[in-house]
Amino acid sequence: MKLSNIIVRATRGNITESMHRVHFALVNTEGTLLAGAGDPKLLTFARSTAKLIQALPVLESGAAERFGLTEAEIALCCASHNGEAEHVSAAQSILGKLGLNPLHLQCGAHEPYHAPTAHAMRERGEKPTTLHNNCSGKHSGMLALCAQLGASPDTYMAISHPVQQAMLEAVSAMSNVAPRDMELGIDGCGVPVFGMPLDKLALAFARLGKPEGLPAARQAACRGIVAAVRKFPAYLAGEDRFDTQLIETTGGRIIGKMGAEGMFALTIPDEGLGLSLKIEDGNQRALYSSVMEALIRLNLLTSEEAAKLADFHQPVIRNWQGTEVGRILPQFLEG
């Protein structure tokens, strides 16, 4: 099935006020393109979708076992979390097991994504710390890998650091993009970010979910990541987030992760499928709507699952008074 001419319309009244173009690739573990839209080989940064792949060396190296990371903490290592209490506690717990503190995190601080938590902190006059940063789990995992490798925690964000080299190797091997061909940039949290074609990112996710044929240690790490996120989906994002609700609604049959600038990637382990999707203009408001539409059109969601996730499919646009003024409407045209 080939999908093309994909747009997501933002309506106001009877007028389409804005449009967003979508690109995606659906592949199997061999990298065969099974379906696509727009440019399935679009070169783009994986952004935070890569976190599940970046976490592999934390397990492969033995760091997770050595420091007794729980499955919830492993899930947090893969997260762009909300900064809810359990997220902050899990990040603090990882650091405690390493004998470190929040000052060792170099990700910076921002308010929690979770509005009630952010509001409560403001009411108390409490300022956010690095633990509230949505990437604190990833950075805590990087520090665990530092400790396991005997590397300095002071420069762990540099691409030349053993931690970042291990993560580059993992992303490269899983995606079949050689390190010399991997485009590198700096992510919002300061660490290297990986640029690759969409279909290669989809391949990495297909292999994550069904790692047969990979080296034994990597297979075990992939299964460990998938098991942790399946068991603790709330630690991957948060109670009100699409990533968490997609996993919960499908009973872990589908595991997906968002990234900034309109990125999403997912794996369907039992089917050995990986899908990556990019909103061309980077607008997040079109992201979950287009992911939902793709999954529905590709018959990858049951009608019951789609109904439970309906609020993400064609979300309402409201003004500051809470009045409905329009909708986000995906249009995937076959061709």
Side-chain angles (χ1 to χ4, degrees), residues 52-69:
L52 283 81
I53 311 301
Q54 288 172 283
L56 292 174
V58 179
L59 276 68
E60 285 179 294
S61 68
E65 181 177 7
R66 174 184 171 186
F67 296 107
L69 300 193

Side-chain angles (χ1 to χ4, degrees), residues 7-12 15-21 281 283 285 317 327-329:
I7 60 170
V8 177
R9 297 189 296 116
T11 68
R12 187 174 296 269
I15 292 177
T16 294
E17 195 167 38
S18 301
M19 292 191 296
H20 312 282
R21 291 203 298 175
D281 64 4
N283 198 316
R285 72 177 178 183
I317 299 174
R327 281 189 174 269
I328 303 296
L329 300 174

Side-chain angles (χ1 to χ4, degrees), residues 105-112 127-134:
L105 297 174
Q106 298 178 27
C107 52
H110 63 69
E111 277 199 335
K127 293 184 178 180
T129 72
T130 54
L131 296 171
H132 295 95
N133 187 303
N134 77 95

